[in-house]
Amino acid sequence: MAISDAEGESPAAAKEVGGERKRKRLAERSLLAKWKTEGERKSYSSKLIEALRVVRRSSCPAPAAVATDCSRSRAVRVAADRALAVTARGRSRWSRAILSRRTLKLRSRARVARLKPPAAAAGPRAAERRKPPALEQKARVLGRLVPGCRKLPLATLLEEATDYIAALEMQVRAMSAVAEILSAAAGGGRSSSVAAEPM
Amino acid sequence: MSSRRSRISEEEITELISKLQSLLPETRRRGASRASAAKVLKETCNYIKSLHREVDDLSGRLSELMATMDVDSAQAEIVRSLFRS
């Protein structure tokens, strides 16, 4: 993968203002395109398989309980996200946030649904700030959706969001491909149990 | 027009927003030129939520498939097809 060589230029140069920033943006565009390459998808797929194996082994002691279906799918989701974050190679904030996340966080976040009253921006302050409050509110929602991005300035948040979306799309493609392969293999009379879902 | 710094970041923000907009499926379809920043943010939030939902569905499907399959042979199958394509 030749694109990974471009990373060497960015660190020191990115600090300076002016023309250097343009170079950083161009490098980012190629970073985004990276999520679409076959190589990345395959790299992610193999990490995903390893993670699935780990999930399978850890949930083995409780085989037939129905309740574990939900927790297993959640475990798969967590493993898939972690594998995605690893594939990002720590370049982005959201990936680092996912890797430092503890496993239970996914569940507790769904319960604590904080309903904030619509933020009434103070009159004089709104004039000073350049961003209208409607934008602020949406930016806050976005910050909650992208892992680890709650208190970021808007520019950084937008960068993280673009990378995160590209990564999510790859995740969906890879997981669909794996699911297709598995269901084809399961339906092909290889495994012991039936459970062949008509696709 | 207070400080120079905030003006530069406004340009950056506009550019980032248009880059974000080009990733969204809605815009790809309609070929719209410039939606407002608020609309782009809203579309982004919705898109990310729908992607999360897809991943959740796929996770459910994968966990079902895993439950009925022997993982090692599954892995062999996947590795085989990965190297095939």
Side-chain angles (χ1 to χ4, degrees):
Chain A
M1 251 181 287
I3 298 178
S4 55
D5 294 348
E7 277 179 315
E9 305 182 330
S10 325
K15 302 279 174 150
E16 289 171 15
V17 200
E20 305 303 319
R21 216 176 254 173
K22 205 184 269 183
R23 200 189 297 172
K24 184 187 177 195
R25 273 189 227 125
L26 287 177
E28 275 172 11
R29 220 160 278 159
S30 62
L31 286 181
L32 265 193
K34 196 159 185 250
W35 286 114
K36 294 203 174 151
T37 61
E38 267 302 292
E40 281 297 284
R41 190 174 68 78
K42 286 182 183 170
S43 147
Y44 175 67
S45 300
S46 26
K47 293 196 181 64
L48 182 61
I49 301 310
E50 264 310 301
L52 288 181
R53 204 206 238 162
V54 171
V55 170
R56 161 82 177 211
R57 294 250 170 89
S58 63
S59 68
C60 236
V66 179
T68 51
D69 271 349
C70 230
S71 57
R72 198 167 39 217
S73 112
R74 207 176 299 131
V76 171
R77 169 79 203 270
V78 168
D81 284 346
R82 285 233 184 95
L84 189 66
V86 168
T87 311
R89 287 193 207 98
R91 277 191 312 255
S92 49
R93 251 173 252 248
W94 61 263
S95 59
R96 294 193 286 269
I98 288 184
L99 291 176
S100 56
R101 217 193 245 174
R102 269 165 289 151
T103 347
L104 284 182
K105 187 166 185 205
L106 196 63
R107 202 196 304 170
S108 60
R109 205 202 283 181
R111 292 234 180 117
V112 182
R114 255 182 264 155
L115 290 173
K116 279 191 185 163
R125 267 219 200 133
E128 244 178 294
R129 273 201 198 142
R130 288 170 155 265
K131 291 174 263 171
L135 211 58
E136 282 275 318
Q137 205 173 353
K138 298 197 166 55
R140 211 168 297 151
V141 174
L142 186 61
R144 279 198 303 241
L145 284 176
V146 182
C149 291
R150 289 197 195 187
K151 289 184 187 167
L152 289 184
L154 188 56
T156 320
L157 176 58
L158 292 176
E159 282 182 17
E160 291 289 316
T162 46
D163 192 57
Y164 189 51
I165 287 183
L168 281 180
E169 288 176 342
M170 187 207 73
Q171 186 180 25
V172 166
R173 282 196 297 268
M175 287 178 79
S176 316
V178 170
E180 287 305 308
I181 294 173
L182 282 186
S183 58
R190 167 185 283 276
S191 67
S192 43
S193 314
V194 187
E197 282 185 297
M199 283 295 139
Chain B
M1 312 286 181
S2 36
S3 61
R4 204 191 304 161
R5 203 192 304 164
S6 59
R7 197 192 289 171
I8 290 181
S9 42
E10 278 236 9
E11 283 178 20
E12 255 194 41
I13 287 181
T14 320
E15 184 165 329
L16 286 172
I17 288 199
S18 56
K19 185 157 85 157
L20 193 52
Q21 189 181 0
S22 63
L23 285 184
L24 298 177
E26 280 291 313
T27 324
R28 267 182 252 154
R29 240 182 289 148
R30 284 194 222 130
S33 50
R34 225 39 190 293
S36 71
K39 184 140 198 284
V40 172
L41 283 187
K42 192 172 93 160
E43 292 290 326
T44 308
C45 292
N46 291 338
Y47 189 45
I48 292 185
K49 279 187 208 159
S50 77
L51 284 174
H52 278 172
R53 252 177 283 141
E54 272 196 70
V55 175
D56 279 332
D57 288 342
L58 285 169
S59 303
R61 202 169 141 200
L62 279 179
S63 74
E64 279 178 34
L65 287 170
M66 270 168 35
T68 60
M69 274 197 87
D70 166 28
V71 180
D72 291 318
S73 58
Q75 187 172 7
E77 185 67 39
I78 289 166
V79 171
R80 215 175 297 149
S81 57
L82 282 179
F83 280 110
R84 212 186 296 147
S85 56

